[in-house]
Amino acid sequence: MPGVTTTEVDETSAPHPDAPFGARPAARRPARTVLTIVLGLLLTLVFSWSVIAVLDASSFPSPLHHLRNRLFDSPVLVPSLMAVWVFVLLFVALIGRLWLAFGVLTAITALFGAVNATKLELRNDPLYPSDYTFLSQPSFLFSMVSPSKLVLGAIGLAALVALGWAAGWLVGKVLPNIAKGAGRRELIVIRASRAVIVVICLVLLWMAGNFNEPGNPWRAAFDSTGLRWRDWDQRVNYQRNGFVAGLLFNMHVQAMSEPQGYSKAAVMKIADKYAAEAAAMNKGRTGSLENTNVVTVLSESFSNPEWLKSLKLNSDPIPRTTALMGNTLSGKMLAPGYGSGTANVEFEVLTGMSLSQLKPQISVAYEQVVSKDKTFPSAVDWFLAHGHTPVAIHPFSPRMYARTAVYKAFGFDRFISKDQLQDKSHGGGRFIDDKSAFDEVLHQIQTHQKPVLTHLVTMQNHMPFGGQYDDPMNPQGLPPQFAKLAGQYNRGIARTDVELANFLAALKKQKEPTTVVFWGDHLPPQIYPQSLFKKEGERAMHETPFLIWSSGKPLKHTTLPTTSPIQFLPHLFDAMNAPIPPWYALLDSLDKQIPAMDAGMYVNSQDQLVKKAQLTPEARKALSDYRMIMYDLSIGKRYSEKTMYGDAPAS
């Protein structure tokens, strides 16, 4: 037409008629997409490094100091960064929004860091993969932390999520969503790519979950850095090697290494040896436990503060127990943990199996070893075979540490938790008190025709300790904030001291005889500063009182070296002059050489702390026999179970 000019349109730059409104010209999209992907990957890498920095800092008493001074010197920074990066990429691919993924991951990082720091503060243990089981007990978890800290934590978590979201939103302005304005084919490619990334990341994380399997590439990558795994101290392991390395190191693992030469013939040779020793030891023993009630009492966090040289109290908080220990079989127990490990001490007492011989990744043997089996060898087997009714009592939730499944595997006839107790009094404390727990034991003894094996795990002195009693017993030698908590704790164990004495007096009045094994499972968490550890030494912070008492003829007091929980029941049999099964003959042999052992610690017969290399040839032989049978009974073929827990043959 006249007066009208036409312009030739470049079809490569014009939008397609069917393209969404606002779609960018196709010629410009590839370059912009590549730039967005490259910069996005760099951002995820930087974000992954910041996650590592925060998690590593959470393992130290002064996280801010760590952040200022130790951000780049981790020996395993590169493999740790790759592991976290895979996790970050998984979330980005799943969510499909960089800013939203960063917000979610910021929340997860803050939560993990806070839990790790809190657990280290309260229990002297870092966060383990197996700790997920505590999620079934949210009320218990919340009771461990003060309401003010929970509120501050929730506010801080919300603030961090908001910051992560805001940062991602700003980034999104520069690096817009590559799916925006894309055509149908491009969307298919993008979604397929995300799906592929998700699958690859899941495979890599599955491999990381098998970190301790032979030939694992993630383990090889970490080992190639030359790091040292500090399996004797998990706190140090996390601090020196980083949170990611520590977490991976504690992934599932076979509970115990197979001893060299393990076979049925090798096992039965050792079993027969100790069956003969048991027969020889039983010759002339005139005592018996068949018509005697046996009560084992694990007293939560019970200890003797006067054993700590740094503390001064106006009076002994447990005078009755102290006096009793001087008049019956008693001593110091070497606890397998500080501030935690209740279920592990139970495991050692009831099975005779030491945590020190399991892999360091086994943080809770009940959950990681016992609960997987329908049956598990324990002292309950012997007592069942000799006419006892086994009853377990714990005045708290039955789900903690998988106790319901574990006690069933051990063979307990009944498990009485907080809901079935006759009395649920708290006595001013946070949890059901020891008087109610001891009364339940008396009730079981009085209502059973047969003798009972009663296993009691108390709850009264469980942390947190603050704000319970009006009459605290504050010690000297602690900073004010710790002294206040220690005062509450001391009043709690003082009440235990009274109730234990009343319980034993009540047993004295019963017609049938009863023997009691009583011990504290570990020192209390939360109330002693780290500086006290250095002053007192590691061994002192792992020693608690134990005693063995009889309602009949008083048991002779003997000065024993520091003793492992695995030796309590063998000592009971010896004190009562009762015939022992072959398993206890083996433990007796071990006791003569190594009366106590913990991860990295061995106590010899002279009550001296020695290294494994310093053990005598006799001690090494006893330990070798013990490891072979323990492996067989725990995760082996159990060739020796009937022999070791049966009656020794008559000689």
PDB file of all heavy atoms in Angstrom, residues 85-97 101 189-207:
ATOM      1  N   TRP A  85      26.867 -30.734  49.858  1.00  0.00           N
ATOM      2  CA  TRP A  85      26.430 -30.203  48.558  1.00  0.00           C
ATOM      3  C   TRP A  85      25.409 -31.136  47.904  1.00  0.00           C
ATOM      4  O   TRP A  85      24.416 -30.690  47.335  1.00  0.00           O
ATOM      5  CB  TRP A  85      27.636 -30.006  47.646  1.00  0.00           C
ATOM      6  CG  TRP A  85      27.362 -29.127  46.448  1.00  0.00           C
ATOM      7  CD1 TRP A  85      26.516 -28.065  46.377  1.00  0.00           C
ATOM      8  CD2 TRP A  85      27.961 -29.245  45.145  1.00  0.00           C
ATOM      9  NE1 TRP A  85      26.540 -27.492  45.127  1.00  0.00           N
ATOM     10  CE2 TRP A  85      27.426 -28.199  44.345  1.00  0.00           C
ATOM     11  CE3 TRP A  85      28.892 -30.099  44.591  1.00  0.00           C
ATOM     12  CZ2 TRP A  85      27.798 -28.006  43.022  1.00  0.00           C
ATOM     13  CZ3 TRP A  85      29.269 -29.912  43.268  1.00  0.00           C
ATOM     14  CH2 TRP A  85      28.730 -28.878  42.499  1.00  0.00           C
ATOM     15  N   VAL A  86      25.657 -32.422  48.008  1.00  0.00           N
ATOM     16  CA  VAL A  86      24.707 -33.396  47.471  1.00  0.00           C
ATOM     17  C   VAL A  86      23.345 -33.229  48.159  1.00  0.00           C
ATOM     18  O   VAL A  86      22.296 -33.260  47.516  1.00  0.00           O
ATOM     19  CB  VAL A  86      25.233 -34.839  47.668  1.00  0.00           C
ATOM     20  CG1 VAL A  86      24.140 -35.858  47.365  1.00  0.00           C
ATOM     21  CG2 VAL A  86      26.440 -35.088  46.769  1.00  0.00           C
ATOM     22  N   PHE A  87      23.382 -33.036  49.463  1.00  0.00           N
ATOM     23  CA  PHE A  87      22.144 -32.853  50.224  1.00  0.00           C
ATOM     24  C   PHE A  87      21.417 -31.575  49.795  1.00  0.00           C
ATOM     25  O   PHE A  87      20.186 -31.563  49.630  1.00  0.00           O
ATOM     26  CB  PHE A  87      22.486 -32.795  51.718  1.00  0.00           C
ATOM     27  CG  PHE A  87      21.297 -32.912  52.622  1.00  0.00           C
ATOM     28  CD1 PHE A  87      20.677 -34.127  52.835  1.00  0.00           C
ATOM     29  CD2 PHE A  87      20.796 -31.794  53.275  1.00  0.00           C
ATOM     30  CE1 PHE A  87      19.575 -34.236  53.676  1.00  0.00           C
ATOM     31  CE2 PHE A  87      19.695 -31.890  54.110  1.00  0.00           C
ATOM     32  CZ  PHE A  87      19.084 -33.114  54.312  1.00  0.00           C
ATOM     33  N   VAL A  88      22.184 -30.500  49.611  1.00  0.00           N
ATOM     34  CA  VAL A  88      21.600 -29.222  49.184  1.00  0.00           C
ATOM     35  C   VAL A  88      20.998 -29.344  47.787  1.00  0.00           C
ATOM     36  O   VAL A  88      19.873 -28.882  47.531  1.00  0.00           O
ATOM     37  CB  VAL A  88      22.662 -28.103  49.232  1.00  0.00           C
ATOM     38  CG1 VAL A  88      22.128 -26.819  48.588  1.00  0.00           C
ATOM     39  CG2 VAL A  88      23.084 -27.833  50.671  1.00  0.00           C
ATOM     40  N   LEU A  89      21.742 -29.963  46.868  1.00  0.00           N
ATOM     41  CA  LEU A  89      21.233 -30.128  45.504  1.00  0.00           C
ATOM     42  C   LEU A  89      19.956 -30.955  45.483  1.00  0.00           C
ATOM     43  O   LEU A  89      19.052 -30.705  44.681  1.00  0.00           O
ATOM     44  CB  LEU A  89      22.301 -30.782  44.625  1.00  0.00           C
ATOM     45  CG  LEU A  89      23.525 -29.925  44.285  1.00  0.00           C
ATOM     46  CD1 LEU A  89      24.538 -30.741  43.489  1.00  0.00           C
ATOM     47  CD2 LEU A  89      23.118 -28.675  43.511  1.00  0.00           C
ATOM     48  N   LEU A  90      19.873 -31.944  46.369  1.00  0.00           N
ATOM     49  CA  LEU A  90      18.667 -32.759  46.452  1.00  0.00           C
ATOM     50  C   LEU A  90      17.459 -31.890  46.795  1.00  0.00           C
ATOM     51  O   LEU A  90      16.394 -32.000  46.160  1.00  0.00           O
ATOM     52  CB  LEU A  90      18.849 -33.855  47.504  1.00  0.00           C
ATOM     53  CG  LEU A  90      17.596 -34.682  47.837  1.00  0.00           C
ATOM     54  CD1 LEU A  90      17.151 -35.482  46.623  1.00  0.00           C
ATOM     55  CD2 LEU A  90      17.867 -35.598  49.020  1.00  0.00           C
ATOM     56  N   PHE A  91      17.616 -31.012  47.773  1.00  0.00           N
ATOM     57  CA  PHE A  91      16.499 -30.155  48.187  1.00  0.00           C
ATOM     58  C   PHE A  91      16.128 -29.161  47.088  1.00  0.00           C
ATOM     59  O   PHE A  91      14.940 -28.908  46.843  1.00  0.00           O
ATOM     60  CB  PHE A  91      16.855 -29.416  49.477  1.00  0.00           C
ATOM     61  CG  PHE A  91      16.392 -30.138  50.707  1.00  0.00           C
ATOM     62  CD1 PHE A  91      17.076 -31.255  51.161  1.00  0.00           C
ATOM     63  CD2 PHE A  91      15.275 -29.722  51.398  1.00  0.00           C
ATOM     64  CE1 PHE A  91      16.653 -31.940  52.281  1.00  0.00           C
ATOM     65  CE2 PHE A  91      14.846 -30.396  52.524  1.00  0.00           C
ATOM     66  CZ  PHE A  91      15.536 -31.513  52.972  1.00  0.00           C
ATOM     67  N   VAL A  92      17.155 -28.588  46.451  1.00  0.00           N
ATOM     68  CA  VAL A  92      16.874 -27.628  45.377  1.00  0.00           C
ATOM     69  C   VAL A  92      16.125 -28.305  44.238  1.00  0.00           C
ATOM     70  O   VAL A  92      15.150 -27.759  43.694  1.00  0.00           O
ATOM     71  CB  VAL A  92      18.180 -26.986  44.870  1.00  0.00           C
ATOM     72  CG1 VAL A  92      17.915 -26.126  43.636  1.00  0.00           C
ATOM     73  CG2 VAL A  92      18.827 -26.138  45.971  1.00  0.00           C
ATOM     74  N   ALA A  93      16.551 -29.514  43.887  1.00  0.00           N
ATOM     75  CA  ALA A  93      15.898 -30.234  42.797  1.00  0.00           C
ATOM     76  C   ALA A  93      14.487 -30.662  43.178  1.00  0.00           C
ATOM     77  O   ALA A  93      13.573 -30.629  42.353  1.00  0.00           O
ATOM     78  CB  ALA A  93      16.726 -31.455  42.407  1.00  0.00           C
ATOM     79  N   LEU A  94      14.296 -31.060  44.416  1.00  0.00           N
ATOM     80  CA  LEU A  94      12.970 -31.485  44.858  1.00  0.00           C
ATOM     81  C   LEU A  94      11.990 -30.321  44.910  1.00  0.00           C
ATOM     82  O   LEU A  94      10.849 -30.420  44.441  1.00  0.00           O
ATOM     83  CB  LEU A  94      13.060 -32.136  46.245  1.00  0.00           C
ATOM     84  CG  LEU A  94      13.489 -33.604  46.306  1.00  0.00           C
ATOM     85  CD1 LEU A  94      13.706 -34.023  47.750  1.00  0.00           C
ATOM     86  CD2 LEU A  94      12.447 -34.503  45.653  1.00  0.00           C
ATOM     87  N   ILE A  95      12.444 -29.196  45.501  1.00  0.00           N
ATOM     88  CA  ILE A  95      11.559 -28.047  45.696  1.00  0.00           C
ATOM     89  C   ILE A  95      11.409 -27.232  44.422  1.00  0.00           C
ATOM     90  O   ILE A  95      10.333 -26.712  44.116  1.00  0.00           O
ATOM     91  CB  ILE A  95      12.086 -27.167  46.854  1.00  0.00           C
ATOM     92  CG1 ILE A  95      12.028 -27.969  48.165  1.00  0.00           C
ATOM     93  CG2 ILE A  95      11.297 -25.875  46.978  1.00  0.00           C
ATOM     94  CD1 ILE A  95      12.662 -27.279  49.345  1.00  0.00           C
ATOM     95  N   GLY A  96      12.500 -27.108  43.665  1.00  0.00           N
ATOM     96  CA  GLY A  96      12.440 -26.374  42.403  1.00  0.00           C
ATOM     97  C   GLY A  96      12.509 -24.865  42.556  1.00  0.00           C
ATOM     98  O   GLY A  96      12.342 -24.139  41.579  1.00  0.00           O
ATOM     99  N   ARG A  97      12.733 -24.382  43.751  1.00  0.00           N
ATOM    100  CA  ARG A  97      12.860 -22.950  44.019  1.00  0.00           C
ATOM    101  C   ARG A  97      14.081 -22.745  44.896  1.00  0.00           C
ATOM    102  O   ARG A  97      14.114 -23.203  46.043  1.00  0.00           O
ATOM    103  CB  ARG A  97      11.617 -22.400  44.721  1.00  0.00           C
ATOM    104  CG  ARG A  97      10.331 -22.475  43.908  1.00  0.00           C
ATOM    105  CD  ARG A  97      10.364 -21.501  42.735  1.00  0.00           C
ATOM    106  NE  ARG A  97       9.067 -21.471  42.045  1.00  0.00           N
ATOM    107  CZ  ARG A  97       8.718 -22.289  41.089  1.00  0.00           C
ATOM    108  NH1 ARG A  97       9.564 -23.256  40.706  1.00  0.00           N
ATOM    109  NH2 ARG A  97       7.532 -22.188  40.508  1.00  0.00           N
ATOM    110  N   ALA A 101      14.289 -23.484  48.954  1.00  0.00           N
ATOM    111  CA  ALA A 101      15.194 -24.549  49.402  1.00  0.00           C
ATOM    112  C   ALA A 101      16.181 -24.022  50.433  1.00  0.00           C
ATOM    113  O   ALA A 101      16.448 -24.671  51.452  1.00  0.00           O
ATOM    114  CB  ALA A 101      15.943 -25.141  48.205  1.00  0.00           C
ATOM    115  N   VAL A 189      12.223 -30.933  29.689  1.00  0.00           N
ATOM    116  CA  VAL A 189      13.663 -31.124  29.905  1.00  0.00           C
ATOM    117  C   VAL A 189      14.045 -30.728  31.330  1.00  0.00           C
ATOM    118  O   VAL A 189      14.811 -31.426  32.012  1.00  0.00           O
ATOM    119  CB  VAL A 189      14.475 -30.310  28.874  1.00  0.00           C
ATOM    120  CG1 VAL A 189      15.963 -30.341  29.232  1.00  0.00           C
ATOM    121  CG2 VAL A 189      14.254 -30.858  27.474  1.00  0.00           C
ATOM    122  N   ILE A 190      13.508 -29.584  31.780  1.00  0.00           N
ATOM    123  CA  ILE A 190      13.836 -29.097  33.130  1.00  0.00           C
ATOM    124  C   ILE A 190      13.361 -30.095  34.185  1.00  0.00           C
ATOM    125  O   ILE A 190      14.106 -30.445  35.111  1.00  0.00           O
ATOM    126  CB  ILE A 190      13.199 -27.710  33.376  1.00  0.00           C
ATOM    127  CG1 ILE A 190      13.895 -26.664  32.510  1.00  0.00           C
ATOM    128  CG2 ILE A 190      13.288 -27.323  34.851  1.00  0.00           C
ATOM    129  CD1 ILE A 190      13.189 -25.313  32.497  1.00  0.00           C
ATOM    130  N   ARG A 191      12.132 -30.557  34.074  1.00  0.00           N
ATOM    131  CA  ARG A 191      11.594 -31.485  35.066  1.00  0.00           C
ATOM    132  C   ARG A 191      12.314 -32.827  35.031  1.00  0.00           C
ATOM    133  O   ARG A 191      12.566 -33.445  36.076  1.00  0.00           O
ATOM    134  CB  ARG A 191      10.100 -31.680  34.827  1.00  0.00           C
ATOM    135  CG  ARG A 191       9.278 -30.452  35.196  1.00  0.00           C
ATOM    136  CD  ARG A 191       7.866 -30.506  34.658  1.00  0.00           C
ATOM    137  NE  ARG A 191       7.126 -29.285  34.978  1.00  0.00           N
ATOM    138  CZ  ARG A 191       5.960 -28.961  34.448  1.00  0.00           C
ATOM    139  NH1 ARG A 191       5.405 -29.761  33.535  1.00  0.00           N
ATOM    140  NH2 ARG A 191       5.359 -27.843  34.804  1.00  0.00           N
ATOM    141  N   ALA A 192      12.668 -33.284  33.823  1.00  0.00           N
ATOM    142  CA  ALA A 192      13.420 -34.542  33.710  1.00  0.00           C
ATOM    143  C   ALA A 192      14.799 -34.399  34.337  1.00  0.00           C
ATOM    144  O   ALA A 192      15.297 -35.310  35.027  1.00  0.00           O
ATOM    145  CB  ALA A 192      13.538 -34.944  32.240  1.00  0.00           C
ATOM    146  N   SER A 193      15.423 -33.234  34.119  1.00  0.00           N
ATOM    147  CA  SER A 193      16.743 -32.980  34.703  1.00  0.00           C
ATOM    148  C   SER A 193      16.671 -32.976  36.229  1.00  0.00           C
ATOM    149  O   SER A 193      17.541 -33.526  36.911  1.00  0.00           O
ATOM    150  CB  SER A 193      17.298 -31.644  34.199  1.00  0.00           C
ATOM    151  OG  SER A 193      17.438 -31.649  32.793  1.00  0.00           O
ATOM    152  N   ARG A 194      15.620 -32.342  36.768  1.00  0.00           N
ATOM    153  CA  ARG A 194      15.443 -32.332  38.226  1.00  0.00           C
ATOM    154  C   ARG A 194      15.267 -33.749  38.760  1.00  0.00           C
ATOM    155  O   ARG A 194      15.832 -34.114  39.800  1.00  0.00           O
ATOM    156  CB  ARG A 194      14.245 -31.467  38.609  1.00  0.00           C
ATOM    157  CG  ARG A 194      14.493 -29.975  38.524  1.00  0.00           C
ATOM    158  CD  ARG A 194      13.220 -29.181  38.751  1.00  0.00           C
ATOM    159  NE  ARG A 194      12.557 -29.551  39.989  1.00  0.00           N
ATOM    160  CZ  ARG A 194      11.314 -29.173  40.318  1.00  0.00           C
ATOM    161  NH1 ARG A 194      10.598 -28.432  39.462  1.00  0.00           N
ATOM    162  NH2 ARG A 194      10.788 -29.539  41.460  1.00  0.00           N
ATOM    163  N   ALA A 195      14.498 -34.554  38.041  1.00  0.00           N
ATOM    164  CA  ALA A 195      14.269 -35.937  38.475  1.00  0.00           C
ATOM    165  C   ALA A 195      15.570 -36.732  38.474  1.00  0.00           C
ATOM    166  O   ALA A 195      15.842 -37.508  39.402  1.00  0.00           O
ATOM    167  CB  ALA A 195      13.233 -36.605  37.562  1.00  0.00           C
ATOM    168  N   VAL A 196      16.383 -36.526  37.441  1.00  0.00           N
ATOM    169  CA  VAL A 196      17.675 -37.218  37.359  1.00  0.00           C
ATOM    170  C   VAL A 196      18.574 -36.798  38.521  1.00  0.00           C
ATOM    171  O   VAL A 196      19.247 -37.631  39.158  1.00  0.00           O
ATOM    172  CB  VAL A 196      18.361 -36.933  36.002  1.00  0.00           C
ATOM    173  CG1 VAL A 196      19.807 -37.436  36.015  1.00  0.00           C
ATOM    174  CG2 VAL A 196      17.580 -37.586  34.868  1.00  0.00           C
ATOM    175  N   ILE A 197      18.601 -35.487  38.812  1.00  0.00           N
ATOM    176  CA  ILE A 197      19.421 -34.983  39.922  1.00  0.00           C
ATOM    177  C   ILE A 197      18.962 -35.588  41.244  1.00  0.00           C
ATOM    178  O   ILE A 197      19.778 -35.986  42.085  1.00  0.00           O
ATOM    179  CB  ILE A 197      19.366 -33.442  39.974  1.00  0.00           C
ATOM    180  CG1 ILE A 197      20.076 -32.855  38.758  1.00  0.00           C
ATOM    181  CG2 ILE A 197      19.993 -32.914  41.259  1.00  0.00           C
ATOM    182  CD1 ILE A 197      19.903 -31.350  38.618  1.00  0.00           C
ATOM    183  N   VAL A 198      17.638 -35.671  41.437  1.00  0.00           N
ATOM    184  CA  VAL A 198      17.103 -36.260  42.668  1.00  0.00           C
ATOM    185  C   VAL A 198      17.558 -37.706  42.807  1.00  0.00           C
ATOM    186  O   VAL A 198      18.010 -38.139  43.875  1.00  0.00           O
ATOM    187  CB  VAL A 198      15.560 -36.176  42.684  1.00  0.00           C
ATOM    188  CG1 VAL A 198      14.984 -37.062  43.789  1.00  0.00           C
ATOM    189  CG2 VAL A 198      15.107 -34.745  42.874  1.00  0.00           C
ATOM    190  N   VAL A 199      17.468 -38.473  41.744  1.00  0.00           N
ATOM    191  CA  VAL A 199      17.865 -39.883  41.789  1.00  0.00           C
ATOM    192  C   VAL A 199      19.354 -40.016  42.099  1.00  0.00           C
ATOM    193  O   VAL A 199      19.761 -40.818  42.954  1.00  0.00           O
ATOM    194  CB  VAL A 199      17.521 -40.580  40.456  1.00  0.00           C
ATOM    195  CG1 VAL A 199      18.132 -41.982  40.410  1.00  0.00           C
ATOM    196  CG2 VAL A 199      16.010 -40.654  40.274  1.00  0.00           C
ATOM    197  N   ILE A 200      20.173 -39.219  41.411  1.00  0.00           N
ATOM    198  CA  ILE A 200      21.627 -39.288  41.634  1.00  0.00           C
ATOM    199  C   ILE A 200      21.961 -38.925  43.080  1.00  0.00           C
ATOM    200  O   ILE A 200      22.761 -39.603  43.742  1.00  0.00           O
ATOM    201  CB  ILE A 200      22.365 -38.353  40.654  1.00  0.00           C
ATOM    202  CG1 ILE A 200      22.230 -38.876  39.217  1.00  0.00           C
ATOM    203  CG2 ILE A 200      23.835 -38.224  41.039  1.00  0.00           C
ATOM    204  CD1 ILE A 200      22.794 -37.936  38.169  1.00  0.00           C
ATOM    205  N   CYS A 201      21.338 -37.871  43.572  1.00  0.00           N
ATOM    206  CA  CYS A 201      21.607 -37.437  44.952  1.00  0.00           C
ATOM    207  C   CYS A 201      21.164 -38.496  45.960  1.00  0.00           C
ATOM    208  O   CYS A 201      21.868 -38.751  46.945  1.00  0.00           O
ATOM    209  CB  CYS A 201      20.910 -36.113  45.238  1.00  0.00           C
ATOM    210  SG  CYS A 201      21.631 -34.691  44.397  1.00  0.00           S
ATOM    211  N   LEU A 202      20.014 -39.098  45.715  1.00  0.00           N
ATOM    212  CA  LEU A 202      19.534 -40.140  46.622  1.00  0.00           C
ATOM    213  C   LEU A 202      20.475 -41.333  46.641  1.00  0.00           C
ATOM    214  O   LEU A 202      20.734 -41.923  47.700  1.00  0.00           O
ATOM    215  CB  LEU A 202      18.121 -40.575  46.231  1.00  0.00           C
ATOM    216  CG  LEU A 202      16.993 -39.582  46.546  1.00  0.00           C
ATOM    217  CD1 LEU A 202      15.669 -40.091  45.978  1.00  0.00           C
ATOM    218  CD2 LEU A 202      16.872 -39.355  48.056  1.00  0.00           C
ATOM    219  N   VAL A 203      20.989 -41.704  45.486  1.00  0.00           N
ATOM    220  CA  VAL A 203      21.946 -42.814  45.413  1.00  0.00           C
ATOM    221  C   VAL A 203      23.217 -42.472  46.185  1.00  0.00           C
ATOM    222  O   VAL A 203      23.741 -43.288  46.958  1.00  0.00           O
ATOM    223  CB  VAL A 203      22.277 -43.155  43.944  1.00  0.00           C
ATOM    224  CG1 VAL A 203      23.459 -44.130  43.864  1.00  0.00           C
ATOM    225  CG2 VAL A 203      21.055 -43.745  43.254  1.00  0.00           C
ATOM    226  N   LEU A 204      23.721 -41.253  45.982  1.00  0.00           N
ATOM    227  CA  LEU A 204      24.931 -40.830  46.685  1.00  0.00           C
ATOM    228  C   LEU A 204      24.716 -40.777  48.196  1.00  0.00           C
ATOM    229  O   LEU A 204      25.594 -41.162  48.977  1.00  0.00           O
ATOM    230  CB  LEU A 204      25.385 -39.466  46.165  1.00  0.00           C
ATOM    231  CG  LEU A 204      25.945 -39.444  44.736  1.00  0.00           C
ATOM    232  CD1 LEU A 204      26.177 -38.007  44.278  1.00  0.00           C
ATOM    233  CD2 LEU A 204      27.258 -40.238  44.661  1.00  0.00           C
ATOM    234  N   LEU A 205      23.541 -40.321  48.626  1.00  0.00           N
ATOM    235  CA  LEU A 205      23.248 -40.264  50.056  1.00  0.00           C
ATOM    236  C   LEU A 205      23.033 -41.662  50.623  1.00  0.00           C
ATOM    237  O   LEU A 205      23.381 -41.931  51.779  1.00  0.00           O
ATOM    238  CB  LEU A 205      22.018 -39.389  50.311  1.00  0.00           C
ATOM    239  CG  LEU A 205      22.227 -37.893  50.037  1.00  0.00           C
ATOM    240  CD1 LEU A 205      20.914 -37.139  50.204  1.00  0.00           C
ATOM    241  CD2 LEU A 205      23.296 -37.304  50.968  1.00  0.00           C
ATOM    242  N   TRP A 206      22.446 -42.554  49.827  1.00  0.00           N
ATOM    243  CA  TRP A 206      22.322 -43.947  50.269  1.00  0.00           C
ATOM    244  C   TRP A 206      23.701 -44.557  50.486  1.00  0.00           C
ATOM    245  O   TRP A 206      23.925 -45.280  51.464  1.00  0.00           O
ATOM    246  CB  TRP A 206      21.543 -44.742  49.226  1.00  0.00           C
ATOM    247  CG  TRP A 206      21.512 -46.221  49.523  1.00  0.00           C
ATOM    248  CD1 TRP A 206      20.697 -46.874  50.401  1.00  0.00           C
ATOM    249  CD2 TRP A 206      22.358 -47.222  48.931  1.00  0.00           C
ATOM    250  NE1 TRP A 206      20.966 -48.217  50.413  1.00  0.00           N
ATOM    251  CE2 TRP A 206      21.986 -48.462  49.516  1.00  0.00           C
ATOM    252  CE3 TRP A 206      23.372 -47.195  47.982  1.00  0.00           C
ATOM    253  CZ2 TRP A 206      22.604 -49.655  49.163  1.00  0.00           C
ATOM    254  CZ3 TRP A 206      23.993 -48.379  47.633  1.00  0.00           C
ATOM    255  CH2 TRP A 206      23.609 -49.596  48.218  1.00  0.00           C
ATOM    256  N   MET A 207      24.622 -44.249  49.593  1.00  0.00           N
ATOM    257  CA  MET A 207      26.001 -44.734  49.757  1.00  0.00           C
ATOM    258  C   MET A 207      26.629 -44.130  51.012  1.00  0.00           C
ATOM    259  O   MET A 207      27.360 -44.809  51.745  1.00  0.00           O
ATOM    260  CB  MET A 207      26.822 -44.380  48.519  1.00  0.00           C
ATOM    261  CG  MET A 207      26.398 -45.128  47.253  1.00  0.00           C
ATOM    262  SD  MET A 207      27.161 -44.462  45.744  1.00  0.00           S
ATOM    263  CE  MET A 207      28.887 -44.770  46.078  1.00  0.00           C
TER     264      MET A 207
END
